[in-house]
Amino acid sequence: MEINESAEDYLETILILSKKLPVVRGVDIATEMGFKKSSVSIAMKNLREKGHIVVSDAGYITLTKTGKEIADMIYERHETFRKWLINMGVDETVAAEDACKMEHAISKESFEAIKKSITVG
């Protein structure tokens, strides 16, 4: 399944927000990501058309099965890299920023190999 980095970021953000909020709305995503609501609306339309999210009549956004699978994969990569970098002494802010870049650039095969070879707390 081919999906671009921006879509992965949106799906990951929806996942994170769904753990913190009772419902996720476009305005919540815009606030969290620092984007304009209009940009988020376009992205949500694209994600909806690709079957990664469902938007209720009230505007509540939920992940579909495929959307959740992608979000879970990206979130796992992010957290693994973030913790790994922090364990190596990288500043937490830098580790989080670098993890965001690394989570998209690595193949599934390479990520699994790295995950097996590191211990993260």
Side-chain angles (χ1 to χ4, degrees):
M1 172 182 340
E2 192 64 33
I3 185 164
N4 67 36
E5 184 176 323
S6 174
E8 289 176 346
D9 284 338
Y10 277 108
L11 293 172
E12 181 184 23
T13 299
I14 294 166
L15 176 69
I16 292 166
L17 289 173
S18 70
K19 293 177 182 193
K20 298 191 291 190
L21 302 173
V23 294
V24 178
R25 301 166 300 145
V27 67
D28 302 317
I29 298 165
T31 300
E32 181 75 14
M33 297 181 82
F35 294 161
K36 292 180 183 175
K37 177 117 174 45
S38 58
S39 298
V40 172
S41 294
I42 293 167
M44 294 306 103
K45 179 180 184 275
N46 291 334
L47 290 173
R48 190 178 68 247
E49 288 173 353
K50 290 180 179 167
H52 298 310
I53 63 166
V54 174
V55 182
S56 74
D57 290 340
Y60 303 149
I61 299 163
T62 54
L63 296 168
T64 62
K65 182 181 178 198
T66 59
K68 184 157 179 4
E69 287 171 359
I70 295 165
D72 284 339
M73 174 193 69
I74 294 301
Y75 185 71
E76 177 191 22
R77 289 178 179 193
H78 179 92
E79 284 300 292
T80 299
F81 287 134
R82 186 184 66 78
K83 290 174 184 176
W84 181 43
L85 293 167
I86 290 169
N87 284 345
M88 291 190 301
V90 176
D91 173 78
E92 288 189 26
T93 303
V94 174
E97 290 170 1
D98 288 347
C100 279
K101 298 170 192 163
M102 296 165 71
E103 70 195 26
H104 303 290
I106 193 165
S107 70
K108 182 177 181 178
E109 180 182 359
S110 294
F111 176 70
E112 291 301 321
I114 288 171
K115 196 167 70 166
K116 285 179 187 175
S117 72
I118 62 174
T119 305
V120 291

